[in-house]
Amino acid sequence: MQLTARPTGTPVTATYWMSHAWLGTHVEPGVTLDVAAGRIAGVRTGIDAPPPGATALRGLTLPGLANTHSHAFHRALRSTVQVGSGTFWTWRELMYRAASRLTPDTYFDLARATYAEMALAGITSVGEFHYLHHAPGGTPYDNPNAMGEALIAAADEAGIRITLLDTAYLAAGFGERPNRHQLRFSDTTADAWAERASLLKGGDHALIGAAIHSVRAVPAGQLATVVRWAEERGAPLHVHLSEQTAENDACLTAHGRTPTRLLADHGVLGPRTTGIHNTHLTAEDIELLGNSGTGTCMCPTTERDLADGIGPAAALQRAGSPLSLGSDSHAVIDLFEEARAMELNERLRTHVRGHWTAAALLRAASTDGHAALGRPDAGTLEPGAPADLTTVALDSVRTAGPAPRLAAEAAVFAASAADVRHTVVAGRHVVRDGRHTLVEDVPSALAEAIAALHG
């Protein structure tokens, strides 16, 4: 197509015509979006048909989805950990077993396939909570960030953005040395963690952030080192928080305070920090998180799979904690399922319907998730935002029937990842008509990568 120029002189490199677009408050029919240098250069409404040279996206086009919390290698556990019963702690033993078999090469293969599955689900950015740093036994690789760099490269080849949340994981519990499985995770001290993490480099598709695995895995006296590292870089900081009552009990025994209070006392909470799960909180905990502007990432499919419980998402948001969503252990990869599960879980807990509108749930799955990953300019279909889009079919057996003005409700409360038809990242068509354009056969790539770990 003929290039046209923005007022700044940057040429338009692609034009997308959307039969219906979610503009944050409503569904707008007939919208054209121009892309220049990977960003949205212009948005025009009232366009009834695709202009010459435009690529048509038929369905409901949303801002690209943000998967705020991921452990890529957990994708190898799907179905295996659903056999029989057990607890979070027995599940963890199976997780350790999978982790013990990964190398930089096999991790790249698994992550590439997993991130490609995310792209097929409309996810354009992932927060990878990365703690699998070293070789078995804890020996650093010749390249101390070989595993993290494998994840960054995997996201690039799968066509999505990544915020690599390099994770400090130093102890097995309060006052306990890492067990034999956790030696791969540990840098021994927060200073050593910071030295290694400082060698990581981002790029156009990759940001580098930090994470504290949990209060049980980073001694209280070393929390400030991780906080300082993130502050100096203006980087996001994430932390698993009160996922299990056993963690709360152990923290009370060791420190005489809840995990949230411990984090507050050591300067961890704040607007760049996101607590993952935030399931078992006191009223004071909720107030501390809300007043500090600390975010909350809910991962409902994992939380119910592991029988963790239902977190107080509505109370946290009322207190001032922005909500985002993650697929975490990847029991499924489907942000629409995560969004509606947050609402439906709250209905079960309270016996009341309608805690969040479809608009609010879409915001958690996009705008606020991107902000939690260090991309506050993403998650909207507005000029200047990254040209990251996902289009959901409105004519599948799940979504057909409702009037177009209810397309957002259909997407949140009825659609699944299988209804994603297009995913665009930085203006590049990564998923077209339900097929990944960069990874030719995603199911085979997943099967092969997982078989390599179980073989």
Side-chain angles (χ1 to χ4, degrees), residues 127-380:
E128 184 61 40
F129 200 99
H130 168 56
Y131 54 78
L132 188 52
H133 303 304
H134 308 300
T139 302
Y141 289 102
D142 291 341
N143 172 0
N145 285 307
M147 297 294 264
E149 290 178 7
L151 292 166
I152 291 171
D156 189 31
E157 291 214 4
I160 70 171
R161 304 181 193 272
I162 185 171
T163 298
L164 188 75
L165 297 157
D166 197 279
T167 303
Y169 193 139
L170 309 175
F174 297 99
E176 299 179 30
R177 294 176 59 83
N179 64 35
R180 62 185 179 88
H181 302 291
Q182 297 162 339
L183 291 172
R184 295 198 73 175
F185 311 159
S186 178
D187 291 294
T188 69
T189 68
D191 285 334
W193 166 83
E195 182 178 357
R196 179 188 52 72
S198 295
L199 300 175
L200 284 162
K201 293 180 173 59
D204 290 342
H205 81 292
L207 300 178
I208 308 299
I212 294 162
H213 179 272
S214 56
V215 293
R216 68 178 186 275
V218 177
Q222 299 188 58
L223 291 170
T225 299
V226 185
V227 174
R228 184 166 57 252
W229 188 96
E231 284 180 344
E232 288 172 353
R233 291 158 177 79
L237 174 62
H238 289 206
V239 55
H240 287 135
L241 180 56
S242 290
E243 181 178 4
Q244 294 286 322
T245 55
E247 177 183 288
N248 289 359
D249 295 341
C251 190
L252 287 166
T253 299
H255 294 287
R257 65 200 80 177
T258 67
T260 302
R261 170 52 75 181
L262 184 68
L263 294 175
D265 291 348
H266 288 271
V268 178
L269 303 185
R272 284 185 299 100
T273 300
T274 298
I276 311 300
H277 304 302
N278 294 1
T279 307
H280 303 285
L281 303 178
T282 66
E284 182 191 33
D285 292 340
I286 293 170
E287 184 178 0
L288 285 169
L289 292 166
N291 287 347
S292 63
T294 301
T296 294
C297 176
M298 290 290 176
C299 307
T301 65
T302 292
E303 288 150 8
R304 68 191 183 197
D305 182 50
L306 298 180
D308 286 344
I310 299 172
L316 282 160
Q317 188 171 57
R318 286 195 299 270
S321 179
L323 298 179
S324 57
L325 297 164
S327 63
D328 192 0
S329 68
H330 311 315
V332 297
I333 294 176
D334 188 337
L335 264 289
F336 301 111
E337 176 63 23
E338 304 293 347
R340 67 173 157 267
M342 187 164 69
E343 166 67 25
L344 299 182
N345 283 353
E346 192 70 5
R347 292 182 187 187
L348 286 174
R349 193 179 68 81
T350 63
H351 301 176
V352 175
R353 302 176 75 233
H355 300 273
W356 293 278
T357 62
L361 293 170
L362 287 173
R363 181 179 179 87
S366 58
T367 311
D368 287 342
H370 291 294
L373 297 179
R375 299 185 187 275
D377 58 342
T380 63

Side-chain angles (χ1 to χ4, degrees), residues 28 91 115 128 138 304-305 407 413 425:
E28 182 75 25
W91 169 89
Y115 296 153
E128 184 61 40
R304 68 191 183 197
D305 182 50
F413 290 104
V425 181

Side-chain angles (χ1 to χ4, degrees), residues 409-433:
E409 285 75 13
V412 170
F413 290 104
S416 76
D419 295 311
V420 171
R421 292 293 177 264
H422 305 280
T423 302
V424 174
V425 181
R428 179 171 66 167
H429 216 145
V430 175
V431 173
R432 187 190 296 268
D433 296 320

